[in-house]
Amino acid sequence: MAAITCTRCSQSKEPMDRPPFRGPLGQRIHEMICGACWAEWQGMQTRIINEHRLSMGDPHAQQMLDEQMKKFLNLGE
C-alpha cells in the first residue's frame, strides 16, 4: 500500500492494515490516520471513558466519544 500523510502527526507513514471498525468513519480513519496515532487515541479513549464514567450503551456517550476522537485525530467533520 502507498504511504499516507497522517492528519494528526503530519508524517508520511504506512497505513494501518485494515480499518479500525466498520463504516464510513472507520474507512476514513484508515485512509487518514497512521497506526501510531490510532494507538495513542486508544489510550486516550480509555482515559475519557473512565474519567467521564461513560456507558458505551448510551448513544449520547458514544456521540461524545466520537466527537472527542475526531478532535484528537484532527478529522474535522
Side-chain angles (χ1 to χ4, degrees):
M1 284 191 140
I4 61 164
T5 300
C6 179
T7 60
R8 181 162 192 278
C9 67
S10 301
Q11 294 182 14
S12 181
K13 295 185 177 184
E14 289 297 313
M16 293 182 273
D17 292 336
R18 62 184 192 283
F21 49 86
R22 295 180 185 166
L25 182 56
Q27 186 62 37
R28 188 169 161 212
I29 291 167
H30 180 254
E31 294 169 357
M32 300 175 75
I33 303 298
C34 70
C37 287
W38 180 252
E40 283 183 52
W41 163 248
Q42 288 178 308
M44 179 61 75
Q45 172 180 258
T46 301
R47 287 191 290 275
I48 291 169
I49 290 169
N50 291 338
E51 287 175 12
H52 294 276
R53 300 175 189 248
L54 299 179
S55 169
M56 295 293 69
D58 177 3
H60 296 291
Q62 184 62 51
Q63 181 181 2
M64 186 272 237
L65 191 61
D66 286 350
E67 289 171 6
Q68 291 296 317
M69 176 182 67
K70 290 175 185 176
K71 287 179 187 175
F72 184 86
L73 297 173
N74 295 328
L75 291 175
E77 288 300 315

